[in-house]
Amino acid sequence: MSALVLGISAHYHDSAAALVDGTTVLAAAQEERFSRRRHDPSFPIQAVGYCLREAGVSLDDVTAIAYYEDPRLKFRRIAATYLGTVPHGVTSFRRTLPDWLTGKLRVRHTVARELAALGLGRVPDVVCRRHHESHAASAFFPSPYRSAAVLCVDGVGEWATTTIWRGHDDRLESVAELRFPHSLGLLYSAFTYFCGFKVDSGEYKLMGLAPYGRPRFVQQIRDNLVDVKPDGSFRLNMRYFEFLFGKVMTGAGFERLFGGPRRTPEAPLTEREFDLAASIQIVAEDIYLRLCRTAQRLTGEARLCLAGGVALNCVANGKLIQQEVFDGVWIQPAAGDAGGAVGAALAVAVERGATRGHVHTGRDAMAGALLGPAYDDDEIRAYLDSAGIPYAWHEPDALADAVADRLAEGAVVGWFQGRMEFGPRALGARSILGDPRRDDMQSVMNLKIKYRESFRPFAPAVLEADAQHYFDLKQESPYMLVVAEVSKPQRMAHDTATNRTGLDLLRVRRSTIPAVTHIDMSARVQTVNEDRNPAFHRLLTAFKARTGCSVLVNTSFNVRGEPIVRSPQEAYTCFMRTDMDVLAVGGFLLEKVDQPELREAHDWRDEIPLD
């Protein structure tokens, strides 16, 4: 090993750790997968321990610790914001200040203390990078491009909310920057909050809600909330936003503009929420695409790399790719703050002489985002036997055949194979799978498996070689971060003159794969090849051999309010407490009808936190 660097992101949301050897990412994981606390912001001590164990090293072997942002600069922004809004923000500042003074501001000391407690060797120097530098490094250095424009868009780091960079070989050059409080991420989060969803986790729900509505508020947003320039730079009208003063995003200004108070969480969705979602999605896409074109103009590059939380807006990514603004677009699979751990580590490694050898292969350096823990069949068998759980073991080809048979019969399958994914998407390692051809599959999986809102669409996983047969996709999408339209040959005639609106639109069959076709004929696509994920590719191939269809419904292996499962024990618990029919964990196949009854007498759904 050449130069090991441990990257850490923590103390806001989605804390994570990543270990790199030069520019090779050896391991990466989010703390939530170990603590079972969704979006866990605490120091990622368990994720760090995993990364070191995975590589078979101790802290003595690590040359540096890279922290993903500069806490002193961030504190200056927070203090300046509160001082600039006195007296409105005093209460919030008093509540926030102790955390900063006791830990966040002295992050080098905090990180060194936490790591020393592991007892795994001497703690090396702790180096802080800037937040958007970490995003930019996570976007460019693992990308398959020798040179590219880099665009990072999120809520806020220290001061930056949007940055443009130029990457070439082993260098990143800052080109342009927009600063807080003018933030596309915070604008979108304000609407997330106003529509009754949770900020920093519910934005994808707002995106999924948008096709149900009419964009009747677009002009009101442009006239009152955000002044957008031709180059994509913009300014928010802060009279309408409350996030400068504390934890709420909107207040009376939004209520007056949009005809009433914010929707309370879990209240019924109304036409207003549908239309607000549709409207802000259009405004956000317009700003995003203008920024992308500006990145191209300022850098002269033909390829683009993306990171930051807004880069998880896969509808906007799809529009960008469809318009062919760039010859190629690569999006960091952990585009949010968790990916900052990877970016910070890579930035320090490159600064210390690491080179990007992988670009000569034409592949990225994220290993299919399969960077988390794995369990071999001996470990899985030991758990199943100790718990008295009945199973059948199969060789890999036989397992794929057996699971494909059950999927073709309409079973819902928990699929637990190999190393866990890093980032927010399940990519065929910790997934729940179903047959996309079935009309009832979306409602069954939403209401009986995931226990979540019925409007939420499911994503398709498709054999990469067959992707264009099903979707109008102009490039690969291995990380499920691009929305594309279902191809015309797969569409079915339906009555466009129907008076259905809102959630009633779910009842219309639109394509040959209705369970993954959203109401606007779109789908959030994952393309699967044998190189990145041989086990999942094997299953899709077996399903195609039986049905002629090389697409499966792929959703994350969890229920609402819980992180994706990490271990066989967690997979089995989730399997038994939902209406899944089959669990494939390693080489072992478990049928629900063969399992002993759960000891718990209460309803599992009563334990699911509201989100």
Side-chain angles (χ1 to χ4, degrees):
M1 294 189 180
S2 54
L4 294 176
V5 179
L6 179 66
I8 290 173
S9 64
H11 302 143
Y12 181 49
H13 65 99
D14 288 329
S15 68
L19 186 66
V20 305
D21 179 17
T23 58
T24 300
V25 185
L26 301 177
Q30 292 131 281
E31 186 69 6
E32 67 164 17
R33 308 292 172 86
F34 300 88
S35 67
R36 309 310 299 161
R37 178 188 174 193
R38 196 167 179 227
H39 304 298
D40 191 344
S42 63
F43 188 85
I45 194 70
Q46 296 182 82
V48 167
Y50 154 69
C51 288
L52 296 174
R53 290 192 304 274
E54 179 66 31
V57 300
S58 72
L59 287 170
D60 290 325
D61 303 302
V62 176
T63 61
I65 308 298
Y67 190 73
Y68 82 125
E69 64 183 10
D70 182 340
R72 292 183 179 274
L73 189 58
K74 186 171 185 176
F75 181 71
R76 286 178 204 152
R77 187 257 300 168
I78 291 171
T81 299
Y82 283 130
L83 287 172
T85 58
V86 169
H88 301 289
V90 170
T91 301
S92 181
F93 186 55
R94 285 175 176 165
R95 186 171 58 244
T96 301
L97 190 60
D99 281 346
W100 279 96
L101 296 180
T102 58
K104 290 182 179 181
L105 199 54
R106 303 173 65 239
V107 75
R108 288 185 175 88
H109 173 77
T110 302
V111 170
R113 185 188 69 239
E114 294 279 5
L115 293 178
L118 281 172
L120 295 176
R122 173 193 57 83
V123 179
D125 290 340
V126 179
V127 181
C128 293
R129 314 307 297 203
R130 292 198 178 185
H131 189 101
H132 268 243
E133 180 194 4
S134 295
H135 276 320
S138 79
F140 177 65
F141 289 140
S143 79
Y145 307 141
R146 182 180 175 189
S147 66
V150 181
L151 176 64
C152 304
V153 188
D154 65 359
V156 61
E158 294 88 3
W159 280 101
T161 64
T162 300
T163 53
I164 294 172
W165 308 69
R166 182 176 182 263
H168 183 77
D169 288 337
D170 306 317
R171 298 189 302 278
L172 264 175
E173 172 194 359
S174 176
V175 175
E177 176 178 298
L178 296 178
R179 289 190 146 207
F180 182 84
H182 307 294
S183 165
L184 182 56
L186 292 176
L187 172 65
Y188 204 85
S189 290
F191 280 85
T192 301
Y193 172 83
F194 193 70
C195 289
F197 302 120
K198 190 174 181 180
V199 172
D200 289 330
S201 65
E203 285 78 5
Y204 65 96
K205 297 182 183 181
L206 193 70
M207 182 183 68
L209 196 65
Y212 293 93
R214 296 179 296 112
R216 62 187 172 99
F217 295 113
V218 166
Q219 201 57 49
Q220 282 175 258
I221 294 170
R222 289 175 173 158
D223 289 345
N224 296 278
L225 299 185
V226 57
D227 177 22
V228 184
K229 303 303 183 185
D231 64 357
S233 61
F234 59 92
R235 292 184 65 82
L236 300 184
N237 183 350
M238 298 310 300
R239 291 187 301 148
Y240 286 92
F241 299 91
E242 301 291 322
F243 58 76
L244 291 180
F245 311 133
K247 288 186 175 289
V248 301
M249 299 296 294
T250 64
F254 255 63
E255 293 178 3
R256 287 192 299 270
L257 189 60
F258 299 119
R262 71 179 285 251
R263 170 182 170 260
T264 57
E266 304 304 312
L269 289 161
T270 69
E271 183 179 346
R272 186 189 67 162
E273 283 75 53
F274 298 142
D275 296 348
L276 284 169
S279 302
I280 190 56
Q281 181 64 32
I282 284 178
V283 173
E285 287 171 10
D286 176 53
I287 296 171
Y288 192 63
L289 291 171
R290 290 179 191 226
L291 289 168
C292 290
R293 291 190 178 93
T294 297
Q296 184 183 61
R297 178 175 57 81
L298 293 179
T299 64
E301 293 291 343
R303 295 176 177 86
L304 176 68
C305 300
L306 294 165
V310 176
L312 294 171
N313 192 310
C314 48
V315 176
N317 293 336
K319 298 283 179 63
L320 169 66
I321 291 169
Q322 190 68 26
Q323 292 183 19
E324 299 183 299
V325 178
F326 290 87
D327 293 344
V329 176
W330 190 84
I331 308 159
Q332 164 57 238
D337 280 3
V342 169
L346 290 173
V348 171
V350 168
E351 184 178 69
R352 298 185 176 198
T355 58
R356 301 172 64 233
H358 71 276
V359 295
H360 302 297
T361 69
R363 296 193 295 267
D364 68 49
M366 286 299 293
L370 304 178
L371 297 165
Y375 296 81
D376 63 32
D377 276 2
D378 289 341
E379 293 173 296
I380 296 169
R381 188 191 301 273
Y383 162 66
L384 296 175
D385 287 346
S386 68
I389 296 169
Y391 60 81
W393 182 84
H394 298 273
E395 294 281 359
D397 287 342
L399 179 74
D401 289 340
V403 172
D405 285 339
R406 294 293 282 118
L407 286 165
E409 294 166 1
V412 177
V413 176
W415 180 254
F416 182 106
Q417 304 291 323
R419 294 185 73 175
M420 182 180 69
E421 301 92 342
F422 178 58
R425 307 294 185 223
L427 301 171
R430 305 289 186 272
S431 292
I432 299 173
L433 308 175
D435 185 345
R437 303 169 302 160
R438 296 180 64 94
D439 289 316
D440 62 345
M441 188 56 67
Q442 182 189 19
S443 61
V444 166
M445 293 181 77
N446 263 331
L447 300 178
K448 294 187 177 181
I449 309 297
K450 301 284 284 187
Y451 305 135
R452 68 183 198 180
E453 301 94 337
S454 61
F455 71 83
R456 304 262 298 274
F458 285 107
V462 59
L463 289 173
E464 185 177 281
D466 295 343
Q468 292 190 354
H469 178 64
Y470 291 95
F471 307 102
D472 292 334
L473 194 64
K474 293 185 180 295
Q475 67 171 58
E476 67 172 3
S477 178
Y479 300 121
M480 203 187 281
L481 291 173
V482 175
V483 161
E485 289 191 350
V486 173
S487 66
K488 286 184 171 56
Q490 303 302 326
R491 300 184 187 187
M492 301 180 70
H494 62 277
D495 184 7
T496 57
T498 179
N499 290 322
R500 293 180 194 267
T501 59
L503 297 182
D504 285 342
L505 292 167
L506 282 169
R507 299 184 176 90
V508 179
R509 181 181 176 96
R510 292 174 173 79
S511 78
T512 62
I513 44 174
V516 295
T517 303
H518 206 10
I519 64 167
D520 60 352
M521 285 291 182
S522 71
R524 176 164 49 94
V525 183
Q526 178 196 2
T527 55
V528 180
N529 64 30
E530 189 173 11
D531 180 58
R532 286 192 181 92
N533 194 331
F536 199 28
H537 183 272
R538 188 182 301 120
L539 175 60
L540 281 160
T541 302
F543 186 72
K544 178 183 178 182
R546 280 151 183 75
T547 65
C549 177
S550 50
V551 181
L552 286 172
V553 180
N554 178 16
T555 189
S556 55
F557 201 148
N558 65 327
V559 293
R560 182 184 180 196
E562 289 232 334
I564 294 172
V565 300
R566 172 182 56 87
S567 68
Q569 294 93 324
E570 292 161 6
Y572 183 75
T573 299
C574 186
F575 168 61
M576 290 300 293
R577 287 173 162 173
T578 65
D579 288 341
M580 273 184 272
D581 303 295
V582 179
L583 173 62
V585 51
F588 302 90
L589 195 66
L590 287 64
E591 289 280 354
K592 178 65 67 65
V593 295
D594 298 331
Q595 303 307 308
E597 292 292 328
L598 275 180
R599 293 186 179 89
E600 292 89 345
H602 59 271
D603 189 341
W604 163 243
R605 282 161 284 198
D606 292 339
E607 299 178 355
I608 298 171
L610 300 180
D611 183 10

